[in-house]
Amino acid sequence: MPGIRTVLFTVPLALAVLGTAAAPAGAAHHHPSTSLTCHGEGVDPDARVRYRTETLIHAPLRTVWKLQTDVARWPSWQASVKTAERLDHGPFRKGSAFRWMTPIPPNPATPATELEITSTVEQLRPNSCIRWTGPAIGEGLRIDGVHVWNFTAVKGGVRVSTEETHTGAQVDADVPTATEILRQGLEAWLHELKTAAEARTDDRRN
């Protein structure tokens, strides 16, 4: 597909916040034979674009969980999330839906636009796991994603593990590039979650 590499490299968010730095220290990434699950459901088994990573956050589980599930406040600690809104009310739960947006700069293949992501929580276990699905749509681009999060209290904090798959004509046309973008996005998300949670924990200790 003409221009697909250009398009992919200019998309800063595709259901995962794309960071510009390399994988942060402390993050461990791998591609195990078994996928992360929540209530027995995992990522898309047929997707060609997939990535899994994890990190240790030195903060209480309740702090990490609150940051991750308070969707409307994502822009306060995630640099690439420009807007975020819940589409339902009440506790974050199965069936909750939310819409979030990020800008896409202009490039030879597409004009400047915004990528709009609408996610729906399909499975959730409080303080343990979340699985959401949904499309990311921009001008000339559509990505369907499945994203699973696991939160495990361990000595010294919380191990946060995440796995995501992407499908769609554009990403399937260049799997290595799309996978690298997904890798950067998930590593950046974990890095920012870790930074925000540990900062809150330090503030409460002082």
Side-chain angles (χ1 to χ4, degrees):
M1 180 181 299
I4 181 61
R5 184 174 295 274
T6 302
V7 173
L8 287 173
F9 271 124
T10 58
V11 177
L13 183 75
L15 298 181
V17 181
L18 172 59
T20 58
H29 52 84
H30 46 90
H31 302 275
S33 57
T34 58
S35 294
L36 296 179
T37 63
C38 186
H39 282 295
E41 297 294 329
V43 293
D44 185 343
D46 299 320
R48 299 169 60 205
V49 177
R50 62 179 58 233
Y51 191 73
R52 176 174 168 176
T53 186
E54 64 181 34
T55 196
L56 174 63
I57 299 178
H58 300 289
L61 177 55
R62 65 180 178 275
T63 299
V64 177
W65 182 260
K66 175 66 174 176
L67 280 166
Q68 182 74 343
T69 59
D70 191 358
V71 172
R73 294 185 181 273
W74 281 0
S76 71
W77 58 270
Q78 293 198 62
S80 295
V81 178
K82 301 308 177 185
T83 65
E85 62 174 330
R86 282 278 301 276
L87 302 179
D88 62 321
H89 301 284
F92 194 75
R93 61 194 185 277
K94 179 178 179 179
S96 288
F98 49 100
R99 181 181 298 117
W100 37 310
M101 301 187 74
T102 187
I104 301 177
N107 65 84
T110 61
T113 185
E114 289 187 326
L115 193 66
E116 180 179 280
I117 305 99
T118 303
S119 302
T120 301
V121 177
E122 306 291 351
Q123 284 80 28
L124 181 146
R125 181 179 294 116
N127 296 306
S128 178
C129 68
I130 311 168
R131 177 180 177 269
W132 66 59
T133 65
I137 299 173
E139 188 169 343
L141 176 67
R142 178 186 173 108
I143 302 169
D144 289 293
V146 182
H147 202 165
V148 178
W149 294 85
N150 284 181
F151 304 83
T152 307
V154 297
K155 184 177 181 180
V158 182
R159 183 176 68 249
V160 181
S161 306
T162 186
E163 185 174 13
E164 185 168 8
T165 54
H166 289 171
T167 57
Q170 291 88 352
V171 295
D172 287 341
D174 190 344
V175 171
T177 299
T179 301
E180 173 59 17
I181 287 175
L182 178 57
R183 181 196 72 79
Q184 292 184 43
L186 293 183
E187 300 290 1
W189 192 322
L190 282 185
H191 176 69
E192 292 185 310
L193 179 60
K194 177 181 174 70
T195 299
E198 292 180 353
R200 286 194 178 191
T201 301
D202 289 342
D203 288 344
R204 289 169 182 169
R205 287 172 178 167
N206 296 330

